[in-house]
């Protein structure tokens, strides 16, 4: 029996900037009639709002920032935040600046937007974006640090990131952008999902999770049934129990219809 469904957003519920398809929305509604449905995303509190509106979720909790921030889905009120210690962010910025020359950085300002070291591409960050320079990133505590490497590929970024080790962080990569995300050590979609399931009295064997990215891997391993989207990288498929179609082919709908149809 599946009692809790955890869904990634980008590459799972939505394809690029397109809204969810009617078939995906219907499949999520079907799952919601049989189980609790929640979103587990790398997006911020501000960035997740359009997805919640499009899907129509209005109860339970939502995990944002790779599990570092938990919010009430109905009221959009932030319930908890796992923030970095100042020294960890300072160390991460120093190491990534050396490893990724020309990189730009962003620190999440919870419920507001992002504080950035230098301009990012237009439309890539949600909420109010404030340019504060590299030093200004350390002025406020943050749950999430982003590195974007302009002019480079995700493969180049991943190759360099193999040499990136910052104590006190949990890093993940993006397979579509030259992007590294860091949250505090021990924080992940899996840790947040485990916390939510425990509160609800739900065993991990009763949890279904669907995702496509590096930040979904721990969640797919933890859930009793982990499903990788068809376009996910090989390492994501390796951590899942099964694979569905791609996001372009409504893979999430296929997975949920199989599970609940």
């Amino acid at each position: 029996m599946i009692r809790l469904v955890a869904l990634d957003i980008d590459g799972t519920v939505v394809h690029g900037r397109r809204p969810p398809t009617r078939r995906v929305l219907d499949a999520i509604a079907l799952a919601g009639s049989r189980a609790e449905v929640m979103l587990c995303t790398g997006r911020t509190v501000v960035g997740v709002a359009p997805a919640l509106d499009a899907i129509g979720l209005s109860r339970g909790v939502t995990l944002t920032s790779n599990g570092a921030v938990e919010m009430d889905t109905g009221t959009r009120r932030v319930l908890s935040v796992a923030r970095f210690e100042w020294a960890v962010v300072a160390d991460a910025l120093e190491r990534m600046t050396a490893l990724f020359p020309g990189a730009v950085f962003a620190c999440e300002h919870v419920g507001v937007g992002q504080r950035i070291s230098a301009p990012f591409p237009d439309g890539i960050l949600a909420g109010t974006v404030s340019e504060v320079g590299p030093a200004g990133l350390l002025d406020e505590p943050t749950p999430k640090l982003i590195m974007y490497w302009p002019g480079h590929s995700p493969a180049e970024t991943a190759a360099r990131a193999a040499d990136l080790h910052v104590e006190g962080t949990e890093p993940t990569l993006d397979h579509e952008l030259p992007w590294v995300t860091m949250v505090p050590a021990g924080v992940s979609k899996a840790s947040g999902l485990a916390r939510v399931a425990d509160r609800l009295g739900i065993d991990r064997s009763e949890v279904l999770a669907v995702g496509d990215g590096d930040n979904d891997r721990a969640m797919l391993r933890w859930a009793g049934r982990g499903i990788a989207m068809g376009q996910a990288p090989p390492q994501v498929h390796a951590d899942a129990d099964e694979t569905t179609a791609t996001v372009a082919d409504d893979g999430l709908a296929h997975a949920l219809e199989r599970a609940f149809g």
Side-chain angles (χ1 to χ4, degrees):
M1 179 186 294
I2 297 167
R3 299 176 58 200
L4 177 61
V5 176
L7 303 177
D8 169 52
I9 298 177
D10 299 291
T12 300
V13 174
V14 299
H15 183 203
R17 295 180 181 272
R18 305 171 194 171
T21 67
R22 184 73 259 165
R23 184 177 178 185
V24 165
L25 292 174
D26 288 345
I28 294 174
L30 171 64
S33 70
R34 312 278 183 82
E36 295 293 327
V37 175
M38 61 183 292
L39 301 183
C40 300
T41 179
R43 294 191 189 191
T44 64
V45 168
V46 177
V48 77
L52 290 172
D53 291 338
I55 297 168
L57 290 179
S58 60
R59 69 182 191 192
V61 297
T62 297
L63 296 177
T64 71
S65 305
N66 288 351
V69 180
E70 184 177 329
M71 61 176 278
D72 182 280
T73 301
T75 65
R76 312 288 169 91
R77 182 172 63 90
V78 173
L79 302 174
S80 66
V81 182
R83 291 184 172 88
F84 282 112
E85 300 211 359
W86 179 90
V88 173
V89 177
D91 187 27
L93 288 171
E94 181 179 353
R95 290 173 185 265
M96 285 196 285
T97 297
L99 200 57
F100 302 98
V104 293
F105 301 92
C107 284
E108 179 182 351
H109 185 181
V110 178
V112 177
Q114 303 279 353
R115 293 177 292 110
I116 62 174
S117 63
F120 274 64
D122 289 343
I124 205 168
L125 298 175
T128 300
V129 178
S130 303
E131 187 173 344
V132 297
L137 295 177
L138 299 171
D139 288 346
E140 298 286 342
T142 186
K144 185 175 73 170
L145 172 64
I146 294 168
M147 186 283 299
Y148 181 81
W149 202 18
H152 296 269
S153 69
E156 287 178 284
T157 306
R160 287 286 182 95
D163 296 322
L164 179 63
H165 304 287
V166 183
E167 188 173 352
T169 71
E170 199 77 43
T172 54
L173 302 170
D174 191 294
H175 60 274
E176 295 181 335
L177 293 170
W179 186 288
V180 176
T181 299
M182 288 183 169
V183 292
V187 171
S188 67
K189 293 185 181 184
S191 68
L193 185 54
R195 185 175 63 246
V196 173
D198 183 64
R199 284 204 307 263
L200 295 174
I202 295 174
D203 187 80
R204 63 190 292 184
S205 65
E206 301 171 304
V207 179
L208 181 151
V210 190
D212 78 312
D214 190 39
N215 61 349
D216 296 310
R217 293 175 64 189
M219 176 175 75
L220 297 181
R221 291 194 301 268
W222 183 86
R225 185 173 176 181
I227 303 177
M229 297 294 292
Q231 80 284 352
Q235 60 269 31
V236 178
H237 288 283
D239 285 328
D241 299 298
E242 58 188 88
T243 294
T244 187
T246 67
V247 64
D249 292 323
D250 286 344
L252 176 60
H254 287 281
L256 295 179
E257 287 163 2
R258 283 200 307 270
F260 295 99

